[in-house]
Amino acid sequence: MSVLIFVELDNGSVKKTSLEAVAYGAEVAKMTGTTATVLALGKADISSLEQAGAFGASKVLHASDDKLTHENSLAYADVLAQAVKQEDSKIIILAKSGLGDAVAARASAKLKAGIVSGVTELPVINGGFTVKRSIFTGKAFSNVEIKSDIKILVVKKNAIEAIESSEKATVETFSPVLRDQDFQASVGTIEKASSELSLTEADIIVSGGRGMKGPENWQPLLDLAKALGAATGCSKPVSDLDWRPHHEHIGQTGIKVAPNLYIACGISGAIQHLAGVNGSKYIVVINKDPEAPFFKAADYGIVGDVFDILPKLTKAVEDLK
Amino acid sequence: MKILVCITNVPDTTAKITFIDNDTKLNKAGVQFIIGPYDDYALARAVELKEKLGGSVTVLHVGGADADPQIRKALAIGADDAIRVDSDPIDSYFVASQIAHVAGQNNYDLILMGRESIDFNSGVVHGLVGEMLGIPSYSPVMKLEIEGTTATLAREIDGGKETLSASLPLVLGCQEPISEWKIPNMRGIMTARTKPLLVVEPVSVEEFTVPENFSLPAPKGACKMIPADQAETLIKLLRTEAKVI
Ligand SMILES: Cc1cc2nc3c(=O)[nH]c(=O)nc-3n(C[C@H](O)[C@H](O)[C@H](O)COP(=O)(O)OP(=O)(O)OC[C@H]3O[C@@H](n4cnc5c(N)ncnc54)[C@H](O)[C@@H]3O)c2cc1C
Ligand SMILES: Nc1ncnc2c1ncn2[C@@H]1O[C@H](COP(=O)(O)O)[C@@H](O)[C@H]1O
């Protein structure tokens, strides 16, 4: 009956967003008087799997077949469904991401389970089972009751304050049946900036807009990001103009982020950009135009030239160390 | 090449979202509705593929008659015919079941969708439909070429991208730069009026989720302004007040 949490791995380690999902699942397990079990697929660092215990999981099922190392939502969903049957789980938790949504969707159809993606808080369980989810790209919320026997929740970042203990989870080998049909696609190239901090995982993001004037001017922004240990993002025109790679583009049609701190440099704050950042805890806006709409969504603002201000901020951060 | 494109009918990206009837219904007054921006990319690529390879493009929407202007627009952009499943789009599972039912009666080589709807932002309908039909699904797809019965595609993965090739039929969730949004021309608009729009009844689906009510985020407090010549104060505040660095 345990709550089952599907985690994503990056280079064998459980991703931070997934550890948050573990904490969420463990809390739901407490609320429903059961335990939390984690499912991890592919090549993994066992000590990282054990760390799921620090976030409240008691057990990790590890299917270590190397065929599962490559991101494959078809196979992952099938393995997840097998784990659900073995554990007789009624509640399944995943962290929101392209992969999380895809695995959840396919598992939902296999298990005939109600699915809600974009959950922002712990469920309310009193007779019924109600979750709050983000809709209209962060502009609103909806409370939804899930009535199916098996329930799948895809949870957004910051849905829970994850507190880490020193517990360790026991790791068990899980040997699912893998279906050939799930491995038919042939993978060509994978381009991944491995040293880069991923935007969806980052606690701090420094982001630039057209106010940065050109790709050759990005250095001061990169310097501040480096000093803060932050990931870098950009507005849509910036990636459209090829000043920055497409996967950095944040907003309605790009990535949605929810860092603790979002620093916007020379971005006007169009509603489509705000749609991607409105999950941030704190927003800082640097813009030379005091009327820039972004200030209305900001917690801290500086009216001024980014090229003056960025080096000052970088220096101030370095002075802290 | 028989292509099905699934489109949503959603408030414009700049729309102010409010609710009525005790926060149980979206207030549609003054809100302009559009084809979902990602669905628009899917449609544009479908039309290009048809022009290149021959075949047909059908658009499908699960929803009420208020979507008909958007469906006509899709026809004006270059789809050949349309199907509307006449029902409230209750939840992702329900919508996917309707799409899978229509797809099951016609043999589409390709089912294109947006990476996500901008009203529910679930990003799950493609996976659900893929599984219901027993075929692969991929999302978000940024590039798509078809040769014979093989699709070569590029999809975004966390922090990068990956190319892969797979056999048709497939379900794909699309995003830019797979194509550029298309604007209907005069001829398209004229011919769209007479293209077939078939309205069908939904199949019955078990009710898994029930929406209770909606709410809006708490309003943001005032923005604290820091003079440009004291920029370093910001860093202090971020450490001592916000405690985020
Ligand atoms: C359907 C749709 C979807 C969209 N999706 C997205 C999306 O996902 N993400 C997104 O970002 N946009 C999106 N857009 C585009 C969006 O509407 C805006 O056009 C875009 O966000 C503007 O980018 P920007 O702020 O970088 O540029 P601009 O609007 O040109 O703003 C530049 C800003 O920089 C400031 N500035 C200039 N020089 C300096 C300086 N030296 N120092 C400080 N400040 C300076 C200016 O005052 C200005 O405010 C979408 C649009 C549509 C129609
Ligand atoms: N009511 C609907 N009718 C037709 N297609 C839909 C509908 N809802 C969602 N879709 C398709 O599924 C994609 C993903 O939607 P979602 O899972 O809601 O984010 C959308 O971009 C559409 O292509």
Side-chain angles (χ1 to χ4, degrees):
Chain A
M1 277 292 275
S2 63
V3 172
L4 193 66
I5 304 117
F6 173 90
V7 295
E8 290 182 39
L9 305 179
D10 183 22
N11 258 322
S13 295
V14 182
K15 286 189 187 173
K16 212 163 74 189
T17 41
S18 284
L19 287 173
E20 237 180 80
V22 172
Y24 184 100
E27 201 53 43
V28 175
K30 244 189 239 163
M31 293 165 80
T32 52
T34 177
T35 55
T37 300
V38 164
L39 176 66
L41 308 182
K43 202 163 79 195
D45 173 0
I46 300 302
S47 65
S48 169
L49 298 185
E50 286 172 346
Q51 204 207 347
F55 294 88
S58 43
K59 181 168 85 177
V60 177
L61 297 177
H62 180 211
S64 63
D65 194 320
D66 202 33
K67 273 168 93 179
L68 294 169
T69 302
H70 173 253
E71 196 173 300
N72 179 340
S73 61
L74 283 64
Y76 288 5
D78 197 56
V79 175
L80 175 59
Q82 293 177 50
V84 167
K85 298 234 162 81
Q86 175 183 305
E87 297 292 309
D88 191 24
S89 297
K90 300 297 181 199
I91 302 172
I92 303 160
I93 311 289
L94 303 90
K96 181 138 178 101
S97 73
L99 179 65
D101 277 328
V103 173
R106 295 197 73 110
S108 159
K110 278 178 200 282
L111 297 164
K112 305 228 174 322
I115 175 171
V116 176
S117 178
V119 174
T120 57
E121 286 176 13
L122 284 168
V124 175
I125 309 172
N126 51 5
F129 189 104
T130 302
V131 292
K132 185 174 178 178
R133 65 180 296 213
S134 164
I135 54 170
F136 294 107
T137 328
K139 287 193 236 175
F141 298 96
S142 155
N143 284 309
V144 184
E145 186 187 354
I146 314 182
K147 290 171 65 166
S148 51
D149 180 36
I150 303 179
K151 303 169 178 64
I152 303 183
L153 277 58
V154 188
V155 178
K156 281 188 78 166
K157 197 166 174 247
N158 294 338
I160 189 171
E161 195 84 46
I163 299 162
E164 210 175 332
S165 72
S166 54
E167 298 287 315
K168 277 186 182 171
T170 43
V171 179
E172 278 178 22
T173 303
F174 181 59
S175 307
V177 180
L178 300 183
R179 313 181 307 170
D180 286 343
Q181 71 204 72
D182 292 335
F183 296 90
Q184 304 256 306
S186 69
V187 179
T189 55
I190 299 179
E191 289 168 36
K192 207 166 172 173
S194 57
S195 59
E196 223 173 285
L197 192 56
S198 118
L199 277 169
T200 46
E201 298 260 297
D203 286 330
I204 306 178
I205 294 171
V206 186
S207 191
R210 207 146 51 180
M212 296 294 294
K213 304 278 192 316
E216 67 282 4
N217 297 331
W218 237 260
Q219 198 54 46
L221 190 155
L222 299 177
D223 289 343
L224 177 62
K226 189 160 176 240
L228 287 167
T232 57
C234 66
S235 68
K236 181 171 188 293
V238 164
S239 72
D240 286 349
L241 290 162
D242 265 337
W243 294 358
R244 299 294 299 168
H246 184 268
H247 67 258
E248 277 199 3
H249 143 210
I250 293 172
Q252 178 102 55
T253 46
I255 295 187
K256 280 128 203 125
V257 296
N260 293 334
L261 176 61
Y262 187 79
I263 304 182
C265 311
I267 305 178
S268 59
I271 194 155
Q272 296 95 351
H273 187 81
L274 297 182
V277 303
N278 51 22
S280 310
K281 273 198 196 141
Y282 286 91
I283 293 180
V284 170
V285 169
I286 307 167
N287 197 303
K288 68 173 186 193
D289 173 10
E291 301 296 322
F294 219 147
F295 285 118
K296 289 206 181 67
D299 300 281
Y300 298 98
I302 303 181
V303 177
D305 188 326
V306 272
F307 300 110
D308 277 349
I309 290 160
L310 280 171
K312 285 192 198 159
L313 297 180
T314 306
K315 183 166 180 303
V317 173
E318 279 162 356
D319 288 347
L320 285 179
K321 291 178 186 163
Chain B
M1 176 78 22
K2 257 180 91 172
I3 307 175
L4 181 70
V5 181
C6 302
I7 62 168
T8 54
N9 175 42
V10 290
D12 177 66
T13 51
T14 58
K16 190 166 162 48
I17 300 296
T18 56
F19 300 102
I20 48 171
D21 291 359
N22 265 330
D23 289 332
T24 57
K25 270 208 195 88
L26 176 69
N27 181 5
K28 294 186 178 177
V31 172
Q32 199 199 337
F33 279 76
I34 57 168
I35 300 173
Y38 298 107
D39 313 342
D40 233 351
Y41 288 121
L43 176 64
R45 189 66 191 135
V47 170
E48 287 166 6
L49 288 171
K50 180 188 79 168
E51 282 165 1
K52 205 165 122 192
L53 306 166
S56 63
V57 174
T58 301
V59 285
L60 171 60
H61 173 69
V62 181
D66 54 340
D68 286 351
Q70 277 62 258
I71 297 175
R72 288 284 170 209
K73 185 180 171 201
L75 292 169
I77 285 172
D80 300 285
D81 57 357
I83 303 170
R84 180 166 62 78
V85 178
D86 191 25
S87 165
D88 261 352
I90 298 169
D91 66 12
S92 311
Y93 198 95
F94 176 89
V95 168
S97 302
Q98 305 305 330
I99 296 173
H101 181 74
V102 169
Q105 295 174 320
N106 303 276
N107 286 311
Y108 298 106
D109 301 295
L110 208 49
I111 302 177
L112 299 186
M113 306 190 185
R115 82 175 279 175
E116 68 174 37
S117 58
I118 65 161
D119 49 0
F120 295 114
N121 311 113
S122 294
V124 299
V125 169
H126 17 80
L128 281 159
V129 170
E131 188 63 39
M132 286 170 180
L133 295 172
I135 60 178
S137 53
Y138 296 102
S139 178
V141 175
M142 312 158 70
K143 215 177 141 198
L144 170 65
E145 298 296 341
I146 307 285
E147 235 184 274
T149 58
T150 305
T152 306
L153 52 97
R155 64 166 171 165
E156 195 162 277
I157 51 175
D158 198 15
K161 70 175 176 192
E162 171 182 278
T163 59
L164 49 86
S165 48
S167 298
L168 302 179
L170 294 172
V171 183
L172 304 176
C174 304
Q175 73 168 27
E176 60 161 19
I178 194 165
S179 180
E180 302 248 342
W181 287 326
K182 292 195 183 341
I183 299 163
N185 58 25
M186 209 49 214
R187 197 173 152 267
I189 294 168
M190 299 302 289
T191 54
R193 288 188 195 151
T194 54
K195 286 180 179 171
L197 192 176
L198 183 67
V199 178
V200 300
E201 289 301 310
V203 289
S204 83
V205 175
E206 211 184 320
E207 190 181 61
F208 283 160
T209 72
V210 186
E212 291 180 341
N213 55 32
F214 299 107
S215 58
L216 296 171
K220 200 95 190 167
C223 175
K224 196 177 256 187
M225 298 308 291
I226 292 143
D229 55 4
Q230 294 164 33
E232 52 288 344
T233 322
L234 172 70
I235 300 302
K236 283 201 196 96
L237 288 172
L238 291 176
R239 165 146 301 181
T240 55
E241 194 175 77
K243 302 193 170 65
V244 286
I245 63 173

